[in-house]
Every structure is written in C-alpha cells, then in structure tokens.
C-alpha cells in the first residue's frame, strides 16, 4: 500500500516557467513547506478553473479535494496535518488506496474492502470490520469534512444505479455514525456508473468499479487554526 502525494496538480494549468519555479522551490522543502508552496501556486489557479462545481462533488472525490485548496502558509499547516492522518489511515486499513492530494485526502475502498450484497445497500460483515478501523481514525481527527461517494458498475439502468449508489453511500455514513463519527461531518454522494476506473466489459473491471470513495478536507475549525499557525 502506498500513499500517493500529488502536490503539483495545478501545473497542468500553469505556464512552463511557473511550473519549473514551483518544482525547484518544493524539491528540497519539508512537508509543511511543500504544502505551502504547492498551495500558493495552485490555489488561485485551481479555484478559478474548477470553481464551485468541483467542491460540491460533481467530479467525485478527487474533484472535492482539488476544490478545497487554501494555499499559503495555512495550506502548509493543513497539509502537514493531512500527512499524519493519511499515514494513520494507511496503517489502520492496508486494503485502502490512500492518496494525498494538495490539502486533502482521497480514499478508495475496493469491493474487497467495503462491499455489499448483490443489488443491496446492506453492508457485509467484512465491510463493517473495515469501517470500524476507518471510523476509529476519523474520530481521532475530528476537524475534517468527509464526503462519501458510492459507485456502481454499468449493469442495470442508469437511474437505478444512481439511486443504489447513493443508498450505499448513506449505508456507509449510517454505520460510521454508529461508531462515533459526527454526522455533521459526513455527506453522501451517489455517482452511479458515471465514473468508472476500469472496463465494464469484464467481471474484474466491474468489480473495481463497485467501490466507495472518500474525500477528506479541512473544516472551518482546522482552517481557522491553520491561519493562526496552530
């Protein structure tokens, strides 16, 4: 299991000169400085290009964390906190794919980690055991917002899959709340079959597409503390 760090995502939208400058500044810095440098370079660009639709989850978990850029020194403080939380998630749940994206965390739980009975939003025993571990980490890091995204494969009607994916996301949230995670931190998003990560033409590909993703971003309290240098 690897934690992927994506600190230069805004480089896609910047001129080559700015990209080279940002990379040189980030190369020899620590985690907090990397977050500050990347956030400063990326914040205004990503915010202007992606806008509010990203933050609302239109583009899934990755879009949500990209839309939550604070930037500057405060962004570096938040990035350092997210590094620690990502590490804790990885250690607690080795079956998860954990990605550090700018100032947030994207988590992908495959069918082997969180799954459901066929045509059902009921969590299996394996799913509950893994969500127990994830919930424990989430309660230790309370100053974050958590979007939960349900995904399906392409079998069945689009509208049905959209509804089923939302029910599954809500099942995850209900269970995490029962384990002590504050409901006010959690938001369910049904993505249906709209964002596949593999081919729907094979059983293996469809299994990969049936997944749950999380976008973890700083809440108002963490942002306030970061601006105060805490």
């Amino acid at each position: 299991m690897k934690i992927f760090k994506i600190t230069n995502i805004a480089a896609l939208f910047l001129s080559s000169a700015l990209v080279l400058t940002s990379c040189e500044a980030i190369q020899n810095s620590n985690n907090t400085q990397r977050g500050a440098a990347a956030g400063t370079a990326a914040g205004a660009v990503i915010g202007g290009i992606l806008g509010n639709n990203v933050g609302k989850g239109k583009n899934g978990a990755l879009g949500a964390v990209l839309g939550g850029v604070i930037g500057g020194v405060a962004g570096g403080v938040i990035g350092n906190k997210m590094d620690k939380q990502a590490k804790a998630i990885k250690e607690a749940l080795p079956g998860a794919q954990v990605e550090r994206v700018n100032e947030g965390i994207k988590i992908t739980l495959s069918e082997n980690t969180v799954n459901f009975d066929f045509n059902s939003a009921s969590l299996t025993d394996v799913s509950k055991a893994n969500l127990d571990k994830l919930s424990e980490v989430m309660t230790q890091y309370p100053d974050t917002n958590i979007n939960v995204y349900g995904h399906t494969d392409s079998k069945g009607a689009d509208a049905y899959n959209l509804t089923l994916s939302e029910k599954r996301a809500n099942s995850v949230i209900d269970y995490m709340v029962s384990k002590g995670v504050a409901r006010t931190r959690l938001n369910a998003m049904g993505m249906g079959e709209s964002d596949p990560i593999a081919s729907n033409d094979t059983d293996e590909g469809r299994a990969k597409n049936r997944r749950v993703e999380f976008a973890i971003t700083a809440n108002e309290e963490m942002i306030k503390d970061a601006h105060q240098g805490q």
Side-chain angles (χ1 to χ4, degrees):
M1 176 56 53
K2 295 181 179 179
I3 297 177
F4 300 94
K5 299 206 62 173
I6 307 174
T7 55
N8 281 334
I9 208 79
L12 294 174
F13 310 107
L14 297 173
S15 69
S16 59
L18 181 55
V19 171
L20 290 173
T21 301
S22 298
C23 290
E24 183 178 357
I26 292 170
Q27 184 174 4
N28 296 315
S29 58
N30 60 30
N31 285 340
T32 301
Q33 291 168 332
R34 282 201 301 271
T40 300
V45 179
I46 292 177
I49 294 176
L50 299 182
N52 291 331
N53 285 336
V54 168
K56 293 178 182 177
K58 182 177 179 181
N59 298 299
L62 181 60
V65 291
L66 287 176
V69 173
I70 305 300
V73 174
V77 173
I78 291 171
N80 185 268
K81 292 180 178 180
M82 291 297 186
D83 283 347
K84 295 176 181 177
Q85 186 172 352
K87 181 180 178 182
I89 294 168
K90 174 195 171 185
E91 292 173 349
L93 199 59
Q97 179 181 332
V98 183
E99 300 175 70
R100 273 283 289 108
V101 184
N102 287 341
E103 296 157 16
I105 304 170
K106 176 176 177 277
I107 306 171
T108 302
L109 301 182
S110 66
E111 190 181 37
N112 294 327
T113 313
V114 170
N115 52 22
F116 303 85
D117 292 328
F118 177 72
N119 198 30
S120 170
S122 298
L123 291 164
T124 63
D125 290 340
V126 171
S127 300
K128 291 177 180 179
N130 285 321
L131 288 175
D132 286 346
K133 300 172 185 176
L134 183 60
S135 297
E136 185 175 354
V137 176
M138 297 302 187
T139 57
Q140 294 172 3
Y141 294 86
D143 292 340
T144 56
N145 294 321
I146 308 165
N147 282 3
V148 182
Y149 299 84
H151 295 264
T152 69
D153 60 33
S154 63
K155 284 194 170 183
D158 292 357
Y160 180 83
N161 284 336
L162 186 62
T163 300
L164 179 60
S165 67
E166 185 172 356
K167 289 180 178 178
R168 288 177 170 176
N170 276 305
S171 290
V172 170
I173 286 178
D174 289 342
Y175 188 78
M176 293 180 71
V177 169
S178 76
K179 294 299 175 178
V181 182
R183 186 176 290 275
T184 53
R185 300 173 59 191
L186 295 155
N187 180 51
M189 299 288 293
M191 302 297 289
E193 60 188 74
S194 65
D195 189 22
I197 58 174
S199 172
N200 276 303
D201 295 332
T202 65
D203 290 340
E204 181 181 1
R206 287 190 293 271
K208 290 181 179 179
N209 291 331
R210 295 191 296 268
R211 68 196 190 279
V212 177
E213 294 180 343
F214 295 77
I216 302 175
T217 54
N219 68 5
E220 291 182 4
E221 188 64 27
M222 183 184 285
I223 295 171
K224 182 179 74 174
D225 288 346
H227 281 295
Q228 294 173 352
Q230 300 177 16

